[in-house]
Amino acid sequence: MNTSEARAKVKQQRIIKYFIAAANEIIEREGIEAVTIRKAAENAGYTSATLYNYFDNLDHLIFLATMNYLEEYTANLPQCLEKCNSNSIERYMAVCKCFSEYSYEHPNIYELLFFTHSDEKYEEYMKQYYELFPEKVVAEWPEPLSLFYRVNSIYRRNSIMVEGWISEGFITEQNGRDFTDIGLRLSKSILQDVKEGYMDKADATALTVKYYLQMLDYYLTPAAKPLIKETARKLGSSFEAAAE
């Protein structure tokens, strides 16, 4: 890249960040539903036509603007995993509980980021976000969590972790696929209830962990099932009954 190209890229990234900051202000003040092309452009000090020079559409802008809501979650993941031993079931459930707590705190945003049907395009946007803000990559994440920065699909993220179960002989490939599919349908349903005000964050998190533990008891191989009760205990005594 020559000097003029480098300068052009820096200018482009600077303007994109102006629009992201403008959209974030609207989200903080009025909610994600209030973000429009016109409002974001006005807040950034540009015209609506200028915005389309840098974003595919409004969803593109909103996705980049809401990615900052993942920062607290990603920053706390290593801490959530500290007490886990080397088995992949404990790691998975620690991530499951952590994700539930943060997603139910901001259901509208997490629904957009992870439960839409634009995964392929959103993966491009996610890569763009970390190019714009490389300092937000958590370098100390252990494998396989470090792979999360390469994929936005919640299904693929889950599959990456379940592959550990398969390699350790805890679950068959078919049961792993079924577990992932059913679990994400469950999480999406509970997220919708939280979004619509039928359930609060604490109850939703407890119910999610309870059902995931029950699914583990159904899908894991007999040799792996003793790990469920210990995993439940580490998640908190209120979840132990789910593993009985």
Side-chain angles (χ1 to χ4, degrees), residues 8-215:
K9 184 173 182 178
V10 169
K11 179 183 177 181
Q12 179 190 53
Q13 290 184 335
R14 183 172 64 248
I15 294 174
I16 289 172
K17 288 180 179 180
Y18 288 155
F19 279 112
I20 291 173
N24 269 320
E25 288 179 10
I26 298 169
I27 293 170
E28 289 290 331
R29 188 173 62 246
E30 305 175 56
I32 192 172
E33 299 86 358
V35 181
T36 65
I37 294 290
R38 181 183 60 80
K39 282 186 179 181
E42 287 179 356
N43 275 21
Y46 293 91
T47 66
S48 297
T50 302
L51 187 147
Y52 283 109
N53 291 329
Y54 299 93
F55 300 91
D56 294 340
N57 47 41
L58 181 60
D59 285 346
H60 184 184
L61 170 61
I62 291 175
F63 182 92
L64 293 178
T66 53
M67 277 289 289
N68 70 305
Y69 283 86
L70 293 181
E71 289 178 28
E72 192 174 2
Y73 162 63
T74 55
N76 275 279
L77 264 180
Q79 183 179 348
C80 292
L81 293 168
E82 277 181 0
K83 296 181 180 179
C84 295
N85 63 27
S86 59
N87 90 69
S88 53
I89 293 173
E90 279 191 23
R91 292 197 299 273
Y92 180 96
M93 287 305 303
V95 172
C96 175
K97 183 182 179 185
C98 188
F99 180 83
S100 297
E101 290 172 340
Y102 285 99
S103 64
Y104 299 149
E105 183 72 27
H106 301 287
N108 289 347
I109 289 171
Y110 274 74
E111 181 181 54
L112 170 71
L113 291 174
F114 292 107
F115 291 100
T116 63
H117 293 286
S118 301
D119 289 333
E120 184 175 341
K121 197 67 178 176
Y122 281 4
E123 280 195 14
E124 292 179 20
Y125 299 161
M126 185 180 69
K127 291 174 184 176
Q128 180 187 18
Y129 180 83
Y130 287 117
E131 288 175 1
L132 289 165
F133 305 101
E135 71 279 5
K136 295 184 179 182
V137 175
V138 183
E140 69 270 20
W141 267 16
E143 297 292 348
L145 298 186
S146 59
L147 300 176
F148 283 8
Y149 287 109
R150 303 175 190 173
V151 295
N152 182 68
S153 165
I154 191 76
Y155 185 91
R156 288 177 62 192
R157 285 187 173 204
N158 272 261
S159 296
I160 286 169
M161 298 198 70
V162 171
E163 283 171 6
W165 302 356
I166 296 170
S167 66
E168 293 177 67
F170 293 160
I171 199 169
T172 65
E173 287 190 24
Q174 182 59 56
N175 282 353
R177 287 193 294 270
D178 291 347
F179 175 91
T180 299
D181 183 54
I182 295 170
L184 293 180
R185 292 177 189 275
L186 166 68
S187 295
K188 185 176 182 179
S189 176
I190 295 177
L191 186 72
Q192 188 67 30
D193 281 349
V194 175
K195 178 182 174 182
E196 295 177 2
Y198 296 122
M199 195 178 300
D200 65 23
K201 169 186 168 180
D203 289 342
T205 301
L207 190 65
T208 300
V209 174
K210 172 185 174 182
Y211 285 161
Y212 267 79
L213 290 170
Q214 290 175 344
M215 286 193 297

